[in-house]
Amino acid sequence: MTDRSESGKRLISIICPAYNEQENVQLFYDRVTAMAAPFSDRYDFEIIYMNNRSTDQTRERVLALAAQDSRVKLLTLSRNFGYQASVLCGMT
């Protein structure tokens, strides 16, 4: 999904469905930011974690990342609607 950010660069939104992914939140963030860094002169990006009502520390770990990096967003669904619904919700 692309749009223009406040800087005028194209904005790339990366949607990451998550259900009980506490061990992978930081790893995904690290890999995405490393991949995106070489393109930062042309693009801005954000990571939208779609929390499918995890029962572990997924929410807390994403919120900790969001406190450090404003490009990280968290949307928590009211229940676990499944992978496809969380991707659609993130795109919407």
Side-chain angles (χ1 to χ4, degrees), residues 41-88:
D41 59 328
R42 293 177 292 170
Y43 300 99
D44 285 331
F45 76 96
E46 65 183 352
I47 303 172
I48 303 171
Y49 286 91
M50 296 300 308
N51 182 19
N52 276 318
R53 267 314 194 196
S54 296
T55 57
D56 64 358
Q57 296 293 308
T58 297
R59 178 182 172 274
E60 290 75 10
R61 293 189 183 186
V62 173
L63 288 174
L65 282 175
Q68 300 169 9
D69 187 341
S70 63
R71 300 172 297 179
V72 175
K73 312 288 189 252
L74 173 67
L75 295 174
T76 297
L77 301 174
S78 61
R79 67 178 177 84
N80 186 343
F81 288 95
Y83 170 80
Q84 294 86 354
S86 64
V87 171
L88 179 61

